Amino acid sequence: MTDRATEILAGSKTIAVVGLSRDPAKASHGVAAVLQAHGFRIIPVHPSADELLGEKVYRSLTDIPEPVDLVDVFRPAADTPPIAEQAVAIGAKALWLQQGIVSAESRRIAGEGGLDYVEDRCTAVVRAVADLSVR
């Protein structure tokens, strides 16, 4: 039996990664690279980079010109409510706060906006345990 986080990730093909780092040693970079290697379309969101993991970088979710299934967040909990609002505004299907990130306000915004919501879980770990790939 799969859990809801696994179902959400399995139903996602395009993932906007908010807080994707330029530093390959950072978790956000490694997790996004693993997801990309398994066929997920990664769209980096970063305040100043132009390209990460071979993909064009956008300054905010609202700048992304294509549909996004999942917004994967690598930012401190206090920064996540505006990201949740943007995720709702762009019509994303789900908001996912990475391992160690919990926000009751983001959970409320996502829920009221009709988004599926996951917090305090790592997309790469869920992907590995469920052996998910997009092909």
Side-chain angles (χ1 to χ4, degrees):
M1 182 174 164
T2 60
D3 70 353
R4 187 66 187 133
T6 302
E7 291 171 4
I8 290 166
L9 188 57
S12 301
K13 290 182 178 31
T14 302
I15 302 174
V17 182
V18 179
L20 176 53
S21 177
R22 290 182 171 128
D23 182 350
K26 297 270 187 165
S28 63
H29 192 96
V31 167
V34 164
L35 294 172
Q36 187 180 55
H38 286 277
F40 293 90
R41 164 102 163 88
I42 298 301
I43 302 175
V45 177
H46 187 281
S48 61
D50 293 321
E51 183 178 297
L52 290 169
L53 296 173
E55 297 288 343
K56 177 178 170 50
V57 175
Y58 294 91
R59 302 290 166 250
S60 74
L61 292 172
T62 56
D63 292 335
I64 298 172
E66 62 185 274
V68 170
D69 297 319
L70 175 65
V71 175
D72 191 7
V73 183
F74 287 88
R75 298 290 305 144
D79 294 352
T80 63
I83 297 166
E85 290 169 352
Q86 286 185 22
V88 170
I90 67 167
K93 294 178 187 172
L95 178 67
W96 188 304
L97 306 188
Q98 275 291 329
Q99 190 166 330
I101 308 170
V102 175
S103 171
E105 180 67 3
S106 292
R107 184 183 319 113
R108 181 192 64 74
I109 292 165
E112 289 177 2
L115 275 63
D116 284 322
Y117 182 81
V118 177
E119 64 183 7
D120 196 23
R121 299 279 303 269
C122 178
T123 47
V125 171
V126 171
R127 191 227 58 80
V129 169
D131 194 24
L132 297 174
S133 291
V134 177
R135 298 289 175 219

